[in-house]
Amino acid sequence: DTVGVVLPWFVGFLGWLFSGIQQTIEPLGYYALAVGMTDATRSYDVVAKLIQEQRVDGVIFYSQDFSSTQMRSLQKSPVPIVVADRAREGPWLDCVLYDNVRAAYDATKHLIDHGHERIATITGPQWSVSAVERVEGYKAALRDHGLQIDPELIVEGDWSAPPPWTDGFKSRFKNREWPEAVVVGNDWMALELLQYTSNHRDPKIASTAIIGFDNVEVASFAGLTTMGGPIEEFGKAQAKLLLDLIGMKNRKSRKPLERRVLMQLMIRSSCG
């Protein structure tokens, strides 16, 4: 009657995700064995140990650092595993994702509706399905509204905070026209960009419209417009999928399942 939950940390975004998992499993008599990882590279070892020691009926984890070999090993697990997000290539497990294409489309359309035409995007790492899908949604919105897709306006970032890509984005437009608006792959990168633009002496840069993703807690204080989960629903969806798998017979004779959670536009002052 125990579910293992392996997360990089338990504050902010992932803290609310964990809360959603708990709210779903506890009324059904399950307990959450929470494991917080300060070193994400060790997540696989922790997941493998939980399975090997038969301490849990299922595992939920949030990590994208696993190799193809490790993922193949986890596919053979005697207990079900649910992962948030997944890598583009190689084998994958049952997973829960946001409806990233629709969310990025809505974010880009919001900027277009405000009259912006030169719209850039800072993506997540392109090995991530979520990052790739958000680029797809961004491009689709531009196409549907008759705007050109300019590769120079697409800059790859990562999910980290503080992000190391800031100088790269600024240097991309050092000798080019600065974009009017930016769709940013997650809130941590968006907040870093917002801090840079809002304090800039050039009024064109200072007025840059910015949208992020995830609706982390600090986003509301910073006035960041963002595409939000809600995060607890994301955790609940993972828990519901795992419980379905625990009760499923012949789990091995099927393809991995994938479920989607909608995101909502949270309008604030960064692109009003």
Side-chain angles (χ1 to χ4, degrees), residues 235-254:
K236 289 178 181 178
Q238 293 172 48
K240 289 175 182 176
L241 175 56
L242 185 67
L243 293 174
D244 288 347
L245 295 172
I246 291 173
M248 184 184 295
K249 296 181 179 179
N250 301 319
R251 287 195 304 267
K252 297 298 182 183
S253 57
R254 61 172 180 82

Side-chain angles (χ1 to χ4, degrees), residues 213-235:
F213 283 81
D214 297 334
N215 193 32
V216 299
E217 187 174 2
V218 70
S220 61
F221 298 112
L224 176 67
T225 297
T226 183
M227 299 301 300
I231 300 168
E232 282 189 351
E233 293 302 318
F234 195 45

